[in-house]
Amino acid sequence: MADTALSTQRAVHESTLETAREKILSVLPMESSVFKRRFYAAASSLAQSDSGITRCTPKSVIVAVWNCARVGLVPDPSLGHVWVIPYGDQATVQIGYKGRVELARRS
């Protein structure tokens, strides 16, 4: 039963993310299509794989991904640039030290 609810929530997150895809990608500071594909793949993977994120509201996940896009950091845990962290039913963004270094390098 819990697996069904989790699968349903993942599907909701994925469809919500797909609906907002163009708007999210439009705020990325980099125009590279490769970067945009990598960013969206990481965001989609985040919404699908992390059970903590799946308990968050779809709106908060979209806002968190939007905030990552706005600063141009890919929400991929293996990079360590930015973390999407669930707090209750809200997804929040925290920039890691590698992300801060990347932002400083770009400025």
Side-chain angles (χ1 to χ4, degrees), residues 4-32:
T4 304
L6 190 60
S7 297
T8 303
Q9 192 66 9
R10 285 180 178 158
V12 168
H13 284 303
E14 185 62 31
S15 67
T16 306
L17 190 61
E18 183 61 37
T19 302
R21 179 181 184 156
E22 290 305 315
K23 289 183 181 181
I24 290 170
L25 295 180
S26 70
V27 299
L28 282 169
M30 296 173 196
E31 293 296 319
S32 166

Side-chain angles (χ1 to χ4, degrees), residues 71 73 79-83 95-106:
V71 294
L73 296 175
L79 295 176
H81 288 174
V82 65
W83 303 93
I95 298 175
Y97 83 91
K98 290 180 181 179
R100 293 184 189 278
V101 169
E102 178 66 21
L103 291 174
R105 187 185 63 77
R106 289 185 203 162

Side-chain angles (χ1 to χ4, degrees), residues 28-86:
L28 282 169
M30 296 173 196
E31 293 296 319
S32 166
S33 62
V34 172
F35 181 79
K36 287 183 178 187
R37 281 195 306 267
R38 189 174 84 196
F39 181 90
Y40 187 76
S44 180
S45 175
L46 175 78
Q48 287 295 314
S49 64
D50 185 36
S51 62
I53 297 299
T54 56
R55 290 191 300 267
C56 297
T57 64
K59 181 180 178 180
S60 72
V61 173
I62 294 299
V63 169
V65 170
W66 177 277
N67 287 330
C68 293
R70 207 167 39 112
V71 294
L73 296 175
V74 178
D76 183 352
S78 66
L79 295 176
H81 288 174
V82 65
W83 303 93
V84 178
I85 303 169

